[in-house]
Amino acid sequence: YTVEVMAHDGENMFTSERHTIILDTESNEAPMTAGGNLEIHLDPMAVYDNVTDTWSLQLTCGTFTHLGQPPVNVTWKTPNGTTLKSSSYKDGNFSLLLPNTSKGGNYVCSLDPQSPAASCLATSSPLLNKGVVALDDKDFCTLIYEAEKEENHRRVSTLTDQNRNLTDEVNNLTNQVTNLTDLATNLTDLAANLMNLTVHELQQ
């Protein structure tokens, strides 16, 4: 594409500038997924945030084997109609973290309609269909409860191991103190014997 701009400086002098841009439409590549469509899943384990000390549920949308060119993205829609961006992308899946205050309902993932790569798909492509998962309020409660229970179990196990290690250290220190006490006793006895021997020699 070429654009030429001509300007008049008020003194019958004209200047022009020409700018050209080349668009390679053949470089666009359509995205692909392992199953040929968008699959959305609720991860069986809640995700813990160390910074906020809160738990979240994680939805994944994919699984992409090729993101297309330029890389495509997905958008999410909550039950109340709010559109959200993905929280992360890993191993072919876009993820959305849902705080534990989220409500149940249908959560939807779909290709970003503004992505050039999405325009390379045929109008009949299953990838243009939306992925939908229905969540119940109890899903949030159950998964977060299980995650908290597992985390508490892990923490108790860690504290138990630490306590065992500390007990072993205390026992080692106690043994060292006992050995030092025995050594001090032996040195005291040796000093007494040497003193008695010296006195005996002086008396002779």
Side-chain angles (χ1 to χ4, degrees):
Y1 292 87
T2 301
V3 176
E4 185 173 6
V5 179
M6 299 186 67
H8 184 266
D9 63 2
E11 297 181 359
N12 298 323
M13 296 294 294
F14 290 88
T15 58
S16 66
E17 290 188 9
R18 177 174 293 184
H19 297 274
T20 302
I21 184 172
I22 299 175
L23 298 180
D24 184 5
T25 57
E26 295 183 356
S27 65
N28 288 349
E29 299 176 8
M32 294 181 292
T33 62
N37 56 359
L38 290 179
E39 297 182 358
I40 181 171
H41 299 284
L42 172 64
D43 282 6
M45 288 297 296
V47 179
Y48 179 69
D49 188 334
N50 290 311
V51 177
T52 61
D53 191 29
T54 57
W55 290 92
S56 300
L57 299 191
Q58 180 169 258
L59 298 177
T60 59
C61 182
T63 301
F64 286 88
T65 57
H66 181 53
L67 289 178
Q69 184 61 38
V72 75
N73 199 349
V74 302
T75 57
W76 301 81
K77 185 166 289 188
T78 64
N80 64 7
T82 302
T83 299
L84 301 173
K85 294 182 178 180
S86 297
S87 304
S88 62
Y89 174 80
K90 183 180 179 182
D91 298 333
N93 288 292
F94 290 92
S95 299
L96 177 67
L97 291 178
L98 301 175
N100 54 15
T101 55
S102 300
K103 299 298 182 181
N106 290 336
Y107 287 82
V108 179
C109 76
S110 59
L111 293 180
D112 187 346
Q114 298 181 351
S115 170
S119 64
C120 297
L121 293 167
T123 55
S124 59
S125 173
L127 279 180
L128 296 177
N129 297 330
K130 299 176 180 179
V132 182
V133 63
L135 301 182
D136 194 279
D137 288 340
K138 67 179 182 181
D139 291 326
F140 291 89
C141 297
T142 301
L143 289 180
I144 291 176
Y145 169 76
E146 292 295 331
E148 288 178 341
K149 184 173 70 173
E150 181 68 23
E151 178 65 15
N152 288 335
H153 176 75
R154 185 192 66 79
R155 290 178 178 178
V156 168
S157 179
T158 299
L159 290 174
T160 301
D161 291 339
Q162 292 176 349
N163 181 66
R164 186 182 298 111
N165 293 334
L166 288 174
T167 300
D168 292 340
E169 290 182 9
V170 169
N171 290 335
N172 290 333
L173 290 173
T174 301
N175 291 334
Q176 291 178 17
V177 169
T178 300
N179 293 334
L180 290 173
T181 301
D182 292 341
L183 178 60
T185 300
N186 292 334
L187 291 174
T188 300
D189 292 342
L190 179 60
N193 291 334
L194 289 174
M195 184 176 294
N196 291 334
L197 180 60
T198 301
V199 171
H200 180 71
E201 291 177 350
L202 292 174
Q203 290 176 348
Q204 291 181 351

